[in-house]
Amino acid sequence: METDNHGNPETESTGCNVWARRSLILLVLAWISLVSFGAQGASWLAALFESMAVSIPDPAAMTAIQAIAIGIVLLPLALIWTDGRHRGIFQAWLAAAGFLLLMAPTRLLPSTASQEIILLQIGVSLACLLVFVWMARSQHLPRATWTGSMVSVAIALLFALIWIAWGAMGSALDVFLNLLLGLVFGLLASQIMSRTWLAALVTDPGGATHDLVTGGFVTGALVLIMASALSLNGLQLALMVALPALGWAAMGVTRLGPPPESSRRPALASLLGLAAAAPLVFVDTDGLVLEAMDPIAMKTLGAAFIAMVIAWLVGLVMILLSSRLARFRPRGAWAVPAIGLALAAGVLYLTGGQSGFHGDRLFVVLKDQADLSATADMADFSLRRQTVFDTLVQHASGTQAELRQRLDDRGIDYTSYYLVNAIEVDGGLLRRLWLARRPEVDRVLPSPRLRPNQSPLAIATGFPTQPGEPDWNLTSIGADRVWNDLGITGQGIVVGQSDSGAQFDHPELADGYRGGQGQHDYNWLDPWYGTETPVDHGGHGTHTLGSVLGNSVGVAPDATWFACTNLARNLGNPAFYLACMQFMLAPYPLGGDPFVDGDPARSAHVLNNSWGCPEDYEGCDPTSLQPALEALRAAGIFVVAAAGNSGPECSSLTDPIAIYDAAFSVGAIDREGHLATFSSRGPVTVDESGRVKPDIVAPGVDVLSAYPGDTYRISSGTSMAGPHVAGVVALMWSANPDLMGDIDATEAILIESSKPFSGVEGATLPNDDRPPVAEQLEESLSGGSGRVSAVTPAYCTPAGALIGVPNNLAGYGVVDAYQAVQMALELR
């Protein structure tokens, strides 16, 4: 027969009540788990798959919803429950939910402001700690003792080993802030536990093993709720998996030595604080929103599950020894395991290939940008490129001189740029404040950098079968007719590709690589790792480049190419994007200085850019790269940009460089001619311009192209659409070299030759709705400078409605390679 908490035999009725209470607690625990993982999981998935059509509230809103959903259930239970033990459980969880609600606003900041987010979370946590202690001031806790603290440190170090083995530290400031956040988290959790559940055990004990097992669930749920509030970009999910498993170990260390358990607050705080700090310090939150091509997210979740198992095993030992824990006495020898594990952690980090500090950087935009108006009337393509380059370099060198000197005096690492007058500087929040006050500085943007991997990236591969005939995407725009009927295949045109890299010896690409025979100088740049040979781990770059000029999958199969990797791991920043665009204007040798060794005579004629730079994750504000695009246009280099994959909402075309008037932006259609759901729509509102975008659409759904490992793959995205237009421009300029460098005339031809878009719910575009671009083409060819991107007002139309031209769904229509080349030939 069971006994109650006072040793009296329970009646059958009392036994029923006990099981009813336990069932209720388990139901509440299940609700907490379901709501917590649901809210934070949805928030992380929304960041991971930005292009998904389902609308999910932002991380701050999801966190607030989670806190409210948990708190509504717990509030009445914590207030009216008469049994002290159970009321203590509900009060502990309710306090954690209150903390979660107060922490929600810290996730309103963009993830590029990671130090600011962590600093705010430290501030909120400290405020919660002070308020909670003040509210419970009438509750006099026993004097705190350090009994068991060395055991706590040893357990926390054991828990941390997997994070150290797989992770890498950020900057020194990152490490300090995240360590501080973990310790404050531990202090707050220990105070909540001590003043609720552990306090209830003093008057209502239930036996050593019973209290330890029950307390493990109580602590685990408390930590689960509180961990939901920490960090950003999904790291909270890893914390929610790993930290609650420490519940039994945490209860075990509170029982080391004689009662009361609440006196072991330092041991409890040490265990939870140091354990939380390990993933906070060693996980790169920038990489948690990358796609599956990068291992950060999967390794982080893998580490969380391994840490969970380690915590469970330690907890099991505590449960097995529960009857002996009260006889524990602190001795100096207990420091030996902690010291040994600390030494092991240090050796593991130093020998794991990821030692040192690897923080984000700052992109400093100067106020004084170069004036390139003198190049407007230059007809000579070579002279324009050289003049643009010389003007930009001289201007940047002069206006950056004083700031560079100040950085040199302080021993601060930096990289200078000229295509935008800017400098990327090593540093975080404190240095940002200093730079923002400099008189020559316009603004300071984040420039996130991924920390190194524990192991080399694997190279993605597709399927081996080479296509026998041109696929639908090529025939639908008439590229095959250009080759067969007109004999134009892109000869003499150089295409520049900035992407994840390229497999330079792929059968589709090898004969077009300008660096054939191993001559990679001037033909390859890797600002990430400085590799000396073109490589593509993710496959995106090989695929998009193949669509431009692959032998059997490309629009202009005889064009020449060179490349730069701005997305080696699918997370860029303003500096990487700018470095590649500079290389496209004035390539330089491996290891060379872009200011001194750049050679505009080797520039690309056409650039394909199947990427965007979102402000929230990569740091590009709406105008950050605009001077670069205007400079490339001034130099006569045609810039094609993928519109983005954030549709179908209006004004979803938000990221540089597709938003700029100087870029020719491309949306995606499928083989039936329907606009892809994911294709971003205009008008452009992030810069308050109301600009009509995209400019044109092209095949971008189920496109077959090259992939690393001499393979092929079918992919979808506006990334796949843009290369078709870059290839068409290569065909046009190959057919009529007089068009080279004349961006206005080339755009006018693309617009005039485009086919009416008729893919919106079967709607058609009558020919009389098309703009009078023939007159504009004539003006452009005779020296006019006006673009034709604002013929009609900007708007986004509902499905099924007749739409004007240009419009914010498909621009001027569907690219037509055959008609565009025909028009180019007629102008010779």
Side-chain angles (χ1 to χ4, degrees), residues 229 249 326 361 412 420 669 734 748 784 787:
R361 294 167 70 92
I412 299 171
V420 173
I669 57 171
S734 179
R787 285 194 70 200

Side-chain angles (χ1 to χ4, degrees), residues 463-793:
F463 55 85
T465 306
Q466 181 178 9
E469 299 290 337
D471 205 16
W472 75 271
N473 54 303
L474 301 176
T475 59
S476 68
I477 65 171
D480 56 330
R481 295 178 61 201
V482 176
W483 317 327
N484 299 329
D485 299 350
L486 305 178
I488 307 297
T489 54
Q491 305 96 320
I493 303 303
V494 179
V495 175
Q497 166 90 341
S498 298
D499 209 294
S500 63
Q503 184 196 339
F504 74 96
D505 57 354
H506 194 289
E508 295 284 343
L509 305 175
D511 59 351
Y513 177 47
R514 195 172 67 177
Q517 309 301 318
Q519 299 171 358
H520 303 305
D521 283 338
Y522 300 99
N523 298 313
W524 171 249
L525 175 66
D526 179 3
W528 280 72
Y529 303 118
T531 57
E532 298 184 354
T533 302
V535 64
D536 182 13
H537 292 99
H540 190 269
T542 300
H543 193 283
T544 54
L545 185 61
S547 292
V548 180
L549 46 70
N551 289 330
S552 62
V553 296
V555 175
D558 285 334
T560 302
W561 66 273
F562 69 100
C564 177
T565 178
N566 54 19
L567 286 171
R569 288 173 60 192
N570 204 33
L571 184 81
N573 59 42
F576 283 153
Y577 291 127
L578 190 57
C580 283
M581 285 190 283
Q582 286 185 169
F583 188 69
M584 296 295 118
L585 171 64
Y588 51 91
L590 295 170
D593 183 343
F595 279 71
V596 176
D597 303 317
D599 184 2
R602 303 174 189 256
S603 79
H605 300 138
V606 184
L607 302 185
N608 179 60
N609 299 276
S610 291
W611 52 268
C613 183
E615 185 173 7
D616 284 353
Y617 296 104
E618 296 185 338
C620 291
D621 71 14
T623 60
S624 55
L625 299 178
Q626 186 171 346
L629 268 291
E630 293 173 351
L632 292 170
R633 188 181 182 92
I637 297 173
F638 197 96
V639 180
V640 177
N645 303 324
S646 299
E649 291 82 6
C650 294
S651 296
S652 52
L653 203 156
T654 58
D655 300 331
I657 56 175
I659 62 174
Y660 300 139
D661 191 57
F664 203 71
S665 308
V666 187
I669 57 171
D670 61 20
R671 67 175 66 224
E672 283 78 31
H674 299 304
L675 191 68
T677 303
F678 55 74
S679 188
S680 294
R681 276 78 158 161
V684 176
T685 57
V686 292
D687 61 359
E688 300 182 353
S689 68
R691 187 178 300 117
V692 178
K693 284 287 183 176
D695 295 294
I696 208 165
V697 292
V701 178
D702 295 336
V703 173
L704 172 66
S705 189
Y707 219 60
D710 297 346
T711 62
Y712 297 82
R713 179 173 172 173
I714 295 174
S715 296
S716 299
T718 59
S719 289
M720 285 66 242
H724 291 79
V725 177
V728 170
V729 175
L731 293 175
M732 292 166 58
W733 285 10
S734 179
N736 184 358
D738 290 340
L739 284 172
M740 291 175 62
D742 193 338
I743 309 301
D744 291 333
T746 303
E747 288 180 336
I749 291 173
L750 287 168
I751 291 165
E752 172 69 10
S753 62
S754 63
K755 294 180 288 188
F757 171 69
S758 57
V760 180
E761 298 294 330
T764 58
L765 292 174
N767 287 333
D768 58 359
D769 278 351
R770 297 174 63 74
V773 292
E775 291 81 1
Q776 297 168 23
L777 173 60
E778 181 179 352
E779 178 188 356
S780 177
L781 294 176
S782 62
S785 59
R787 285 194 70 200
V788 293
S789 64
V791 176
T792 58

